[in-house]
Amino acid sequence: MATYLYKLGRFAFRRRHFVALLWVALLTLAGLGAASAPPAGNSSFSIPGTEAQRAFDLLEQRFPGMSADGATARVVFKAPEGQKMTDAGNKAAVEKTVKELGSGSEVASVADPYTGKAVSRDGTIAYASVKYKVSGMELEDSSRDALKESAGHARDAGLTVEIGGDALTAAPETGSSEVIGIGIAAVVLVITFGSLIAAGLPLLTAIIGVGIGVSTITALATPLDLGSTTSTLATMIGLAVGIDYALFIVSRYRAELAEGRDREEAAGRAVGTAGSAVVFAGLTVVIALVGLSVVNIPMLTKMGVAAAGTVAIAVLIALTMIPALLGYAGRTVKPAGEKSKLLGGGRAAKKAGRPNMGTRWASFVVRRPVTVLLLGVVGLGAAAVPAASLELGLPDDGSQPVSTTQRRAYDLLSDGFGPGFNGPLMVVVDAKGSADKKAAFAEVGDEIKGLKDVVTVTPPTPNKAGDTAIITVVPKSQPSSAPTEALVHAIRGKSASIASATDAKLLVTGATAMNIDVSQKLNDALLPYLALVVGLAFLLLIVVFRSILVPLKAALGFLLSVLAALGAVVAVFQWGWLSGLMNVEQTGPVMSMMPIFMVGVVFGLAMDYEVFLVTRMREAYVHGETPGQAVVTGFRYSARVVTAAAVIMIAVFSGFIGSSEAMIKMIGFGLAIAVFFDAFIVRMAVVPAVLALLGRRAWWLPAWLDRALPNVDVEGEGLRTDSDADEDRELVRA
């Protein structure tokens, strides 16, 4: 592989015009596709194989005009102080608003508060339910605008009006902190390279890669049903890995220049050596992201595949566009150790043999491996303790910032009708095989009324055929609480007795039941997913490092860092520690997708640092150094670059903590803290300590397995052979 990538790097350097034009053409093509595509909305949400989804599918068949998956809105009204919603003036304003709400072409139905018994007991709060014919993703902006305008007219009449539901769901905003993250990345690159040109190359290529990836996602959003969150996550991951991969190749290029090689040869060798590590690091990230498909939640699969595509583009750009741009940059990119005139006064490289900080740290770890290992493991273990209290759920309007109308509507409904009113359960009774269908419907209602934590059970609403009915159940507790989850399981537990007594089938659905099913499905899929991703990456790393213990150590270190990161997420978003600093206005259960998503993404990123750091150690070891010396050598050449890469990745991920979307905020924080733990504690402390303790055993591989494995030559051994042969031929010609 190193030989092939070496040739690719030299080709891109020589044919820089062709390579640059190709990537610009791809960016332009993707941009035109994105510009002509309709804007992305909210991806349709389905969970194949769950009871909630089966109930939705049944409703589509038996209630064809119901639009079970259509967008919904609740327009909540509150009377002025000292007044009631039943007062003549307030009632007239509400009825006028209801009439306006029903005039939209996409509106399926509007429930009047006064005829639908949607006025609170104290008479101060009422709500109108709006049902749309299409999903939130397909809802036109004109319908959202009409919804807001209708609420505005009621406000003019003196009422407090707020709107909840998924009809107003908008694309998340990341705010200025994302730009700050990129700015920090730029500063780190300038400090690392000592040159504005060299620092600009990784940023430029990362932005081009993300531009192509996100534009492609935008262009395909409608036909592939990709939500706005998909492009946000692709941007987050694509920027981070795009900068890092380019950083490693540019750093190796400067190191090759420092050894006296000409620029084309240095570009070829940089791509052949660091590029090999980029390929395998990128493969681990792609495996982890594509592996999310085993969960069998279409939205999560699409997010993973889209982000994986952006990572693949980042790898290709690093291997081709970086050497092409290095060709354009010429002498403005200095050899390692030299500074530009602008930033360093043209300072020459430091004298060889002077130990840098990476060398000094590695030497300390090699001398005190047990102490460093214990401190690292105990520290991560302490950070992981909160993970034992992990509670999972999906965000609803109750997790929105208090400044949003959705959150204020949620709070008004809780005040007026009880906390469980925001998460009603929809019980679907299929009595097609029952002899007495009405008796079956009544039996189900009576059974549910006898359960605890139930506030209201509505009378059954049958379809036209009279063989299926809907019963709405309002719990006492809020949607994301443990009692509500227990109630869902209790209702489902009545299914067997109902079937034996009436031959009717009972299914529970609705947003709350759907969230519970998602959490359960993700919990069930976590271990198989972990086994698949870690297993495949373990095999890949055996090929890269030609060792059994090094990949095993890499996987165990990853588990430490991801558990510690989950502990930090629980502490901030569930317990409320530092919630003010993170602008977390509402604590509660951790998003149910968080553990499995963190496992996928963090594993891929953790293997990046493992590959870049340890390949340098193996390169030194196979060329005759002792295991301890190899650890120090690996840090001498890679520690500075890995540190810079980690700081950049943390900065980029931290930028998304400013997002208005709770899911994006949590993912940004989780990935940032996970990279910190993995890069600075696991890879920089635990890994060298373990390798120092293992000695030569770290690089042991059974002879039969050594013969069976392909030789991918990540260390660039083939390049040395080719170079030596070229020199010999030159001598013969002379």
Side-chain angles (χ1 to χ4, degrees), residues 38-43 136-137 139 141 144 148 166-175 178 218 221 226-233 400-401 404 406 656 658-665:
N42 301 301
S43 178
M137 176 182 174
L139 200 63
D141 288 340
R144 292 191 178 94
K148 296 174 184 176
D166 61 352
L168 284 187
T169 303
E173 299 175 0
T174 54
E178 179 184 349
T218 303
L226 304 176
S228 55
T229 304
T230 303
S231 58
T232 305
L233 294 176
Q400 296 275 2
T404 62
Q406 293 97 322
F656 290 84
S659 173
S660 62
E661 177 69 34
M663 182 174 74
I664 299 298
K665 180 190 292 288

Side-chain angles (χ1 to χ4, degrees), residues 168-421:
L168 284 187
T169 303
E173 299 175 0
T174 54
S176 60
S177 54
E178 179 184 349
V179 178
I180 294 173
I182 296 175
I184 294 173
V187 172
V188 173
L189 287 169
V190 170
I191 294 173
T192 302
F193 291 138
S195 165
L196 291 176
I197 299 296
L201 295 182
L203 281 175
L204 176 62
T205 54
I207 290 171
I208 291 174
V210 168
I212 293 173
V214 172
S215 296
T216 303
I217 291 170
T218 303
L220 299 175
T222 299
L224 297 183
D225 191 22
L226 304 176
S228 55
T229 304
T230 303
S231 58
T232 305
L233 294 176
T235 301
M236 181 191 302
I237 296 170
L239 269 178
V241 301
I243 294 173
D244 278 6
Y245 294 164
L247 166 66
F248 285 115
I249 291 180
V250 173
S251 297
R252 188 61 183 252
Y253 171 76
R254 297 178 71 232
E256 297 292 338
L257 288 179
E259 293 182 9
R261 294 184 175 87
D262 66 68
R263 295 187 177 274
E264 182 178 327
E265 177 70 11
R269 286 178 173 268
V271 175
T273 51
S276 297
V278 165
V279 169
F280 282 99
L283 272 176
T284 59
V285 180
V286 168
I287 287 172
L289 291 170
V290 173
L292 290 170
S293 59
V294 303
V295 183
N296 196 26
I297 294 179
M299 186 185 77
L300 193 59
T301 299
K302 292 170 186 175
M303 287 165 56
V305 172
T310 307
V311 171
I313 292 171
V315 171
L316 292 174
I317 282 187
L319 297 178
T320 56
M321 195 171 186
I322 282 292
L325 293 179
L326 289 172
Y328 284 118
R331 296 184 179 278
T332 57
V333 177
K334 305 292 184 182
E338 293 188 18
K339 303 290 183 180
S340 67
K341 290 184 179 180
L342 177 63
L343 297 175
R347 187 170 72 246
K350 296 177 182 178
K351 294 182 180 180
R354 182 179 177 181
N356 58 20
M357 186 175 294
T359 303
R360 293 194 295 272
W361 169 249
S363 299
F364 170 78
V365 174
V366 169
R367 290 195 305 270
R368 302 283 189 275
V370 175
T371 302
V372 173
L373 179 61
L374 286 176
L375 286 175
V377 171
V378 170
L380 290 174
V385 168
S389 303
L390 177 67
E391 296 177 9
L392 298 177
L394 284 178
D396 55 18
D397 285 348
S399 62
Q400 296 275 2
V402 292
S403 59
T404 62
T405 186
Q406 293 97 322
R407 172 62 185 279
R408 292 195 293 266
Y410 182 97
D411 292 340
L412 284 176
L413 287 172
S414 295
D415 294 341
F417 301 92
F421 196 78

Side-chain angles (χ1 to χ4, degrees), residues 448-734:
I448 296 174
K449 287 177 183 177
L451 298 173
K452 65 176 183 179
D453 206 51
V454 172
V455 173
T456 305
V457 179
T458 65
T461 304
N463 62 349
K464 288 183 179 180
D467 58 5
T468 308
I470 299 172
I471 299 173
T472 301
V473 180
V474 178
K476 287 182 182 177
S477 306
Q478 63 185 18
S480 59
S481 65
T484 299
E485 182 176 351
L487 176 60
V488 171
H489 293 309
I491 296 173
R492 288 173 173 171
K494 296 289 184 181
S495 181
S497 61
I498 292 292
S500 63
T502 65
D503 292 323
K505 298 177 183 176
L506 180 154
L507 299 168
V508 183
T509 188
T512 300
M514 186 76 82
N515 290 351
I516 291 169
D517 286 350
V518 169
S519 298
Q520 187 60 50
K521 194 174 181 71
L522 289 166
N523 281 340
D524 294 342
L526 184 57
L527 287 179
Y529 172 71
L530 191 61
L532 173 69
V533 171
V534 175
L536 287 175
F538 180 77
L539 295 176
L540 187 65
L541 292 178
I542 288 177
V543 175
V544 173
F545 295 128
R546 308 193 78 78
S547 162
I548 297 293
L549 295 179
V550 170
L552 180 62
K553 173 263 310 168
L556 293 176
F558 151 74
L559 290 175
L560 269 176
S561 57
V562 80
L563 284 174
L566 276 175
V569 169
V570 169
V572 173
F573 291 89
Q574 188 175 308
W575 292 358
W577 294 5
L578 302 178
S579 57
L581 182 63
M582 299 294 168
N583 198 27
V584 179
E585 298 186 14
Q586 179 69 29
T587 59
V590 172
M591 182 186 65
S592 53
M593 292 184 186
M594 194 67 190
I596 202 164
F597 193 82
M598 279 188 64
V599 165
V601 177
V602 174
F603 183 79
L605 301 180
M607 294 307 102
D608 280 2
Y609 301 121
E610 181 75 14
V611 169
F612 289 122
L613 192 61
V614 181
T615 48
R616 269 291 196 169
M617 297 179 189
R618 175 167 171 77
E619 186 177 344
Y621 177 75
V622 298
H623 288 99
E625 293 189 9
T626 65
Q629 290 173 333
V631 170
V632 175
T633 299
F635 269 75
R636 178 185 306 131
Y637 291 110
S638 299
R640 178 184 176 90
V641 180
V642 169
T643 300
V647 171
I648 289 169
M649 200 169 279
I650 291 168
V652 172
F653 288 149
S654 297
F656 290 84
I657 297 175
S659 173
S660 62
E661 177 69 34
M663 182 174 74
I664 299 298
K665 180 190 292 288
M666 191 179 294
I667 289 176
F669 172 80
L671 294 183
I673 197 70
V675 169
F676 173 80
F677 287 148
D678 194 85
F680 293 109
I681 299 180
V682 173
R683 308 302 153 190
M684 291 290 184
V686 173
V687 166
V690 171
L691 290 178
L693 289 171
L694 290 175
R696 297 186 183 277
R697 290 167 294 182
W699 309 105
W700 170 80
L701 186 70
W704 63 269
L705 185 56
D706 189 32
R707 291 190 298 269
L709 291 176
N711 183 14
V712 295
D713 188 22
V714 177
E715 297 84 19
E717 190 64 30
L719 301 185
R720 287 178 168 77
T721 303
D722 291 345
S723 178
D724 293 341
D726 290 341
E727 290 178 5
D728 291 342
R729 283 193 291 272
E730 290 296 327
L731 289 173
V732 170
R733 291 193 190 98

